């Protein structure tokens, strides 16, 4: 519990210091620069994420197409086998 109180006191102290820095023109400029760097960083991370997501989406689409192409001959063979079994059943009942 003591650690939580120290953590909260640190956060509150940080807000107070940031507020006081923002009042000073030099501090305001420094905080604006830090904000610009953070924004640039998050934009780059977001862009990299979207690129990776698009790459994975393309791979998933290729795998789906390959699986569908591989399943079609199996499906056709199974349908032919089912027809053969049905024909054999009809012949034995006749």
């Amino acid at each position: 519990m003591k650690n939580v109180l120290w953590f909260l006191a640190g956060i509150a102290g940080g807000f107070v210091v940031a507020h006081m820095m923002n009042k000073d023109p030099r501090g305001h400029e420094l905080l604006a620069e830090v904000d610009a760097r953070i924004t640039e960083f998050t934009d780059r991370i977001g862009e990299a994420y979207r690129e990776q997501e698009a790459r994975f989406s393309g791979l998933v689409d290729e795998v789906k197409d390959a699986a569908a192409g591989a399943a079609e001959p199996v499906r056709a063979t199974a349908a032919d086998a089912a027809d053969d079994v049905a024909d054999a059943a009809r012949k034995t009942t006749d």
Side-chain angles (χ1 to χ4, degrees):
M1 190 67 177
K2 184 178 177 181
N3 290 335
V4 173
L5 290 175
W6 278 112
F7 179 73
L8 292 175
I11 289 176
F15 277 115
V16 169
V17 169
H19 181 69
M20 291 174 67
M21 281 182 66
N22 199 29
K23 286 183 180 181
D24 182 38
R26 291 177 298 170
H28 183 74
E29 184 178 315
L30 177 68
L31 290 176
E33 183 179 329
V34 168
D35 184 47
R37 287 183 180 182
I38 290 172
T39 301
E40 180 184 354
F41 176 76
T42 57
D43 288 346
R44 286 184 181 182
I45 294 295
E47 183 179 319
Y49 175 81
R50 285 186 290 279
E51 287 176 8
Q52 198 70 358
E53 185 179 36
R55 187 176 304 145
F56 283 143
S57 178
L59 288 173
V60 168
D61 291 341
E62 289 176 15
V63 168
K64 283 181 182 178
D65 292 342
E72 186 57 39
V74 173
R75 192 176 306 135
T77 303
D80 291 342
D83 290 342
D84 291 344
V85 169
D87 288 342
R90 277 190 214 112
K91 288 179 183 178
T92 57
T93 57
D94 288 343

